[in-house]
Amino acid sequence: MVDWPEGVVWAVSGPVDPAVLFPVERQAIARAVPARQAEFAGGRDAARAALAQLGLPPQPIPKGADRAPVWPEGVVASLSHTAGLCVAVAARARDWRGLGVDLERALPLDPQLVPTIASPAELDRLAPLEPGLAALHVFGAKEAAYKAQYPLTRSLFGFAAMEALLPDAGLRMVAATGLGQGAKLPMRQWRNGGLLLSLCALPQVNGGDFAGPGYEVFPCGLTEPDGRKVKV
């Protein structure tokens, strides 16, 4: 995949039989409807396939008290589900500080949702994309960035806490929460095959200490099916 970060592995799966789950995982979704159980199992299946690429053996990935996945020690990882697909990304914590992934169907968002997700300035930067599709890009980026920061800060916040600077840069914290006001989060996005994939990979800096304001930002664009990186 074009511009994929070094050291980050990925795997995909569709919904699978929950019988593949470890007992602690099955217990976590015992009351869920069958479709949700199959989706959950697909996510764990993709996660174990990604972890195997890092040399880790199959092992349970339980839910924590906050319902987030509990990853093996020394690993950073993230999951996303959409349109019958599950994607997992993972890396060694010595290489990357945090990972967040989001997968969405590449369809414009409902006009009524757009103002709750993206500001006029965020949408304008993504012109000539129409507002619904531009808002989808902002949504995917903010979801991925939120997932990347959460294991580090355990902070809960809404869309307005981050400003998307797509497609030329990543995201910036504008609220005094999470990684701190002014902190910048890198973002990569790819749109292909009817899907939009967003990835936030927080690099290790200064021997592993996270930098707030001035944190490096990777350029963000869209990759067309022929591999060309383009501005939107």
Side-chain angles (χ1 to χ4, degrees):
M1 188 177 290
V2 176
D3 197 32
W4 191 257
E6 184 177 357
V8 177
V9 299
W10 60 275
V12 297
S13 174
V16 300
D17 189 335
V20 306
L21 295 172
F22 284 81
V24 67
E25 296 170 334
R26 286 198 298 271
Q27 182 179 2
I29 57 163
R31 297 184 178 181
V33 299
R36 171 57 185 148
Q37 291 185 5
E39 179 185 66
F40 179 92
R44 268 26 184 200
D45 186 58
R48 279 187 270 276
L51 295 176
Q53 296 177 57
L54 298 178
L56 277 73
Q59 56 192 286
I61 305 170
K63 283 185 177 182
D66 57 1
R67 302 181 62 81
V70 179
W71 300 104
E73 186 176 356
V75 168
V76 292
S78 183
L79 288 169
S80 187
H81 309 81
T82 195
L85 286 176
C86 312
V87 61
V89 296
R92 293 288 182 180
R94 64 174 180 263
D95 299 325
W96 294 92
R97 184 78 167 121
L99 292 178
V101 70
D102 184 70
L103 184 65
E104 303 291 338
R105 296 178 64 191
L107 297 174
L109 295 182
D110 187 311
Q112 292 185 336
L113 294 178
V114 171
T116 70
I117 293 166
S119 69
E122 289 173 320
L123 299 177
D124 288 346
R125 293 188 191 104
L126 284 162
L129 287 183
E130 59 99 351
L133 192 54
L136 178 71
H137 279 264
V138 174
F139 175 84
K142 290 184 177 182
E143 283 285 308
Y146 175 85
K147 290 180 181 180
Q149 68 81 39
Y150 180 75
L152 303 174
T153 70
R154 299 295 169 180
S155 295
L156 304 173
F157 51 79
F159 292 118
M162 290 183 281
E163 180 184 16
L165 304 173
L166 310 174
D168 297 314
L171 289 88
R172 177 174 59 205
M173 293 297 305
V174 294
T177 186
L179 296 171
Q181 189 172 16
K184 297 178 182 179
L185 297 94
M187 185 57 53
R188 292 172 167 92
Q189 289 187 311
W190 299 266
R191 194 177 73 230
N192 198 350
L195 296 170
L196 174 67
L197 179 68
S198 303
L199 176 68
C200 180
L202 301 176
Q204 295 284 10
V205 291
N206 298 330
D209 294 330
F210 181 82
Y215 195 54
E216 182 180 6
V217 177
F218 288 91
C220 177
L222 300 178
T223 302
E224 294 293 352
D226 62 3
R228 291 180 296 114
K229 193 72 173 291
V230 298
K231 297 289 181 63
V232 294

